[in-house]
Amino acid sequence: MIPINLIRQYTFCPRIVYYNLLTNIKPSFPRQVSLGSDYHILQEKLSVNRKFKKLNIQYSEVILEKYIENEKLNICGIVDLALLSDDEVTPIEFKFVDSKKPSYSHVLQLYGYGILLSEKYNKDFKRAFISYSNNMKIFKIEITRKIEEDFFNVLSKIVKIVDANMLPESSADEKKCSQCEYLNYCDDRF
Ligand code: SF4
């Protein structure tokens, strides 16, 4: 089963999918990652008492840190936070990242969590929300056909990497590679 977080990783570099799913390499992550994890735990605690008034949606249940898998779609993941109403699921992400607007890789990742929730609870999935730690502004994402198609397109590419069991080509540039935890293992890089 493909973990949803690899959708975002694939868009950064397809090789990360290979290292992650097909090798035993355990990279050491930079301090930023552990800070992100702390931030994540903090947001989860805060969410217990949040009312989400800014989102302006009706909901009857809050989902926190829930593992969901779907055999038919061949995907799984831990949903950090989602609101459930009678007929709709709405995933929400708080990212420990500076960003002025939602990145498309984060949108695709959110789509993955949304579709997992939608299938599990048999409810519509039409929108999601994302917030970045630099300003805490909450962005609404309307789910479109293109987002759906792009998500499943990336998913099929990940499955191909797993089936081929070979290190894929990568167009990652120096900027990406220099911040990548797998740099030591990519011999064809500077
Ligand atoms: S070092 Fe570069 S090519 Fe290798 S996995 Fe990381 S981003 Fe991809």
Side-chain angles (χ1 to χ4, degrees), residues 9 12-17 19 167-190:
Q9 301 278 34
F12 185 82
C13 175
R15 285 187 178 180
I16 294 179
V17 169
Y19 289 131
L167 188 68
E169 289 296 322
S170 169
S171 59
D173 58 16
E174 188 172 341
K175 190 172 168 221
K176 282 187 173 180
C177 294
S178 62
Q179 56 179 293
C180 176
E181 59 275 15
Y182 292 104
L183 179 57
N184 286 345
Y185 305 95
C186 282
D187 290 341
D188 58 349
R189 302 287 140 157
F190 33 88

Side-chain angles (χ1 to χ4, degrees), residues 69-101:
E69 59 182 37
N70 185 304
E71 266 188 51
K72 184 182 74 181
L73 296 175
N74 190 27
I75 53 176
C76 61
I78 298 173
V79 175
D80 294 337
L81 173 62
L83 304 181
L84 263 56
S85 69
D86 289 347
D87 55 3
E88 191 181 350
V89 295
T90 310
I92 304 165
E93 280 270 314
F94 289 94
K95 294 275 187 200
F96 187 64
V97 175
D98 284 1
S99 185
K100 289 188 176 136
K101 59 178 188 165

Side-chain angles (χ1 to χ4, degrees), residues 30-42:
R31 180 167 155 69
Q32 185 70 6
V33 173
S34 75
L35 290 175
S37 176
D38 293 347
Y39 181 75
H40 190 258
I41 292 166
L42 171 69

Side-chain angles (χ1 to χ4, degrees), residues 135-147:
N135 59 17
M136 294 306 291
K137 183 175 173 187
I138 295 180
F139 297 93
K140 179 158 108 173
I141 295 152
E142 302 284 355
I143 303 304
T144 62
R145 185 74 191 214
K146 180 170 186 327
I147 292 173

